[in-house]
Amino acid sequence: MFSRRTDLPLEANALTQRLAERRATGAQVLDLTESNPTRVGIPYHPDVVHALAREQCLVYAPEPFGLAAARAAVAAELSWPASQLLLTASTSEAYAYLFKLLCDPGDHVLVPAPSYPLLEHLARLESVVMDCYPLAYDGAWHIDLDAVRRATTKSTRAIVLVSPNNPTGNYLHQSELAALTELGLPLIADEVFASYPLLDVPTKASVLAAEGAVSFSLGGLSKLAALPQMKLGWIACNAPPEMLSPLLARLEIVADAFLSVATPVQLAVGDLLATRSVAHDAILKRTRANLTTLRDVLADTAATVLHVEGGWYATVRLPESQDDEAWALRFLEEDGVLVQPGYFFDFESGAYAVISLLTPEATLRDGAQRIAQRVG
């Protein structure tokens, strides 16, 4: 009766079950996984609440790529031509549009590992096969370019990049971009965390800088303005001149079939971008401070905070005396601390915990101290 695309495990994993049981008893949980900026005490500009109060919201004037004024506002933010931008309701929808554009059912896309687990679901729902290429760690994370080349087949239709990656936090670097461009495949880069550097990275690159390649940069209000509830994302497109027009024409067919971006947020996006610095800068300050705290607290313990360049997350390498699920369950049950185990993000080996640097400072410090005492 149902499609194979939706034949996914429905049962909760062990950590989710134990968390629900603990919360049901009213026991304390120090949540070091929270990634929703609207729930962690981040300040917003007071004008944000008034941005949607426009009479024009009552008028429906659909445009497949988005209203001209909204696209112009995003284009100004990105310094990219509005004619090469289209608006979506989310980054997830942007992926879906691009998989429709580039892939037939059964085609393959390359996706980094470790990375955000949602990518697998998005590919599957579009009947696209996801092949993973590894990120390697040698004191810093980087793309294993030889592995990308080996993973590329005649069925590969695109390479997905996340810059900075979630959760490893490594940016796409200029040398990596040059090497990937040589493969001649379209490049899809999720750059939603790009404006949150945790340190100076002079060699980081946007996929839009790829010369002679078809490339797409994904972004949105969810991270840039810390407004996930506003549901506005975008795709910035680049391609050689002879390919740009047919590319945009086919994307317009896809976008016109859905017309999913709400009018109120399109009318408000200029104001939301103009006031975004209040929340954005508060997040940048917190994530940098929390990273310093995490490193300080875990220094001289058996846990190691891995090198990270940007984004909202930190990866902690744990002793391999047990796997990362066992560590996560132990932190929760014995210390009241919630972390995400590395296997959630397809870490291939070792024991890892992923911690959100968006966590309120006092909670993160308390949780990190308990982890430090547990690992010794």
Side-chain angles (χ1 to χ4, degrees), residues 69-142:
R71 293 168 68 199
V74 174
E77 177 70 32
L78 302 181
S79 299
W80 194 251
S83 60
Q84 294 173 227
L85 280 170
L86 67 148
L87 305 183
T88 63
S90 65
T91 306
S92 295
E93 185 176 69
Y95 277 117
Y97 279 16
L98 294 176
F99 291 160
K100 289 179 177 69
L101 173 73
L102 300 171
C103 303
D104 290 318
D107 283 342
H108 292 232
V109 294
L110 297 181
V111 176
S115 196
Y116 190 51
L118 181 62
L119 293 175
E120 180 179 2
H121 294 279
L122 295 174
R124 184 182 180 119
L125 290 172
E126 295 300 324
S127 297
V128 171
V129 179
M130 191 183 79
D131 298 325
C132 292
Y133 64 86
L135 302 180
Y137 188 79
D138 58 4
W141 293 99
H142 57 87

Side-chain angles (χ1 to χ4, degrees), residues 143-288:
I143 296 172
D144 186 335
L145 294 169
D146 288 336
V148 175
R149 297 184 186 101
R150 290 193 300 270
T152 302
T153 70
K154 292 181 180 179
S155 297
T156 306
R157 295 293 178 262
I159 301 173
V160 174
L161 311 161
V162 185
S163 179
N165 188 57
N166 175 4
T168 58
N170 55 300
Y171 280 95
L172 175 67
H173 290 253
Q174 293 167 3
S175 59
E176 294 171 327
L177 179 59
L180 293 171
T181 301
E182 292 177 356
L183 296 177
L185 290 167
L187 304 176
I188 301 171
D190 186 333
E191 299 182 342
V192 297
F193 290 110
S195 65
Y196 292 97
L198 296 168
L199 50 83
D200 182 42
V201 186
T203 61
K204 69 180 180 181
S206 169
V207 74
L208 296 174
E211 295 184 6
V214 174
S215 60
F216 306 91
S217 172
L218 280 52
L221 293 181
S222 177
K223 304 302 186 295
L224 185 62
L227 293 169
Q229 75 277 33
M230 294 299 178
K231 305 304 296 180
L232 182 71
W234 49 78
I235 307 172
C237 308
N238 197 17
E242 68 276 10
M243 297 187 66
L244 186 59
S245 291
L247 180 157
L248 293 172
R250 286 173 179 252
L251 265 180
E252 185 172 3
I253 293 172
V254 177
D256 192 39
F258 291 89
L259 295 173
S260 58
V261 185
T263 297
V265 73
Q266 291 192 71
L267 295 173
V269 66
D271 291 342
L272 298 177
L273 289 172
T275 59
R276 72 175 180 84
S277 62
V278 173
H280 181 279
D281 294 353
I283 289 174
L284 192 59
K285 181 179 179 181
R286 178 181 292 186
T287 53
R288 289 177 172 178

Side-chain angles (χ1 to χ4, degrees), residues 113-115 135 137 141 165-168 306 314-316 324 340-354:
S115 196
L135 302 180
Y137 188 79
W141 293 99
N165 188 57
N166 175 4
T168 58
L306 300 188
T315 300
V316 177
D324 46 35
Q340 296 189 84
Y343 84 89
F344 281 6
F345 301 87
D346 289 332
F347 281 83
E348 289 188 353
S349 60
Y352 298 91
V354 174

